[in-house]
Amino acid sequence: MAKFVVYEKVSEAVYKRVDKSTTSDIMQTGINLGSGLMAGFAAAIVSQPADTMLSKINKTKGLPGEGTTSRLIKIAKELGLRGSYTGIGARLFMIGTLTALQFSIYGDIKKALGATGGVEMAK
């Protein structure tokens, strides 16, 4: 969800400054790539703490009788906020570029099908 919201918000912001009817196909693809990159960054930042905790819970064995919730709480306390973002640089690169490419294709397919823009969030 975060990806689509950010993608639409960034696209809207760009098209408030640039007239969509006068932009070339390459420029529109570039806008889709840039908007997708920002959406990917947002998705990576939002999901990083949960993925870090999931990695930690899968790597460590729980104590006998220890439940998943208590393990998650213990891991969260050990990591702290800063620790939950360990590896964010690589994740930003991976998710950002992947999402940029996905939204570039998404935008081109919407254009080819004659689909109108997404739901406007600014209203």
Side-chain angles (χ1 to χ4, degrees), residues 4-75:
F4 283 94
V5 170
V6 172
Y7 172 79
E8 293 296 342
K9 285 291 218 180
V10 172
S11 292
E12 281 179 25
V14 170
Y15 286 123
K16 281 183 181 176
R17 291 176 169 69
V18 177
D19 183 15
K20 190 173 186 174
S21 63
T22 62
T23 58
S24 66
D25 288 346
I26 291 182
M27 178 73 152
Q28 287 180 12
T29 300
I31 292 168
N32 289 337
L33 277 168
S35 299
L37 184 64
M38 294 297 110
F41 286 169
I45 290 166
V46 166
S47 64
Q48 179 69 18
D51 285 342
T52 300
M53 288 183 59
L54 181 63
S55 269
K56 293 282 185 191
I57 204 164
N58 286 332
K59 285 181 185 177
T60 59
K61 294 251 183 204
L63 300 172
E66 186 178 32
T68 304
T69 304
S70 61
R71 285 181 64 202
L72 286 171
I73 292 168
K74 183 174 137 184
I75 291 169

